[in-house]
């Protein structure tokens, strides 16, 4: 599987999951978070689409929790 196909698969898995769970935020911001997380993992050598997607979802949730915490405190 090419890197492009791997990224597309991982992104689609993560996006679909977040969309179905109701956690997906603004499309541009959400896409950037997911792609940044996937890219960071690719740089470490990870190539399994499901692992890339799961970790991207975790990164997305972590950033949203941090942003929510800051909004409540700010």
């Amino acid at each position: 599987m090419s890197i492009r196909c791997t990224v597309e698969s991982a992104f689609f898995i993560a996006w679909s999951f977040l969309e179905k769970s109701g956690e997906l935020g603004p499309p541009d911001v959400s896409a950037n978070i997911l792609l940044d997380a996937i890219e960071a993992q690719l740089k470490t050598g990870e190539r399994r689409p499901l692992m890339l997607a799961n970790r991207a979802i975790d990164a997305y949730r972590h950033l949203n929790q941090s942003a929510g915490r800051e909004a409540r405190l700010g």
Side-chain angles (χ1 to χ4, degrees):
M1 184 181 281
S2 71
I3 295 295
R4 179 179 171 198
C5 289
T6 301
V7 171
E8 288 175 355
S9 294
F11 181 84
F12 180 75
I13 292 166
W15 186 274
S16 297
F17 177 84
L18 291 168
E19 188 173 46
K20 288 176 185 174
S21 69
E23 297 176 67
L24 196 61
D28 291 345
V29 174
S30 299
N32 286 335
I33 293 169
L34 293 175
L35 288 171
D36 288 348
I38 291 168
E39 181 183 6
Q41 293 176 77
L42 289 171
K43 289 179 181 177
T44 68
E46 183 59 67
R47 297 291 184 267
R48 297 171 290 176
L50 189 55
M51 184 63 73
L52 292 168
N54 285 338
R55 290 182 180 162
I57 292 167
D58 286 344
Y60 183 86
R61 286 175 167 169
H62 179 74
L63 284 173
N64 278 343
Q65 285 178 342
S66 297
R69 218 175 293 133
E70 288 177 17
R72 286 191 301 269
L73 297 175

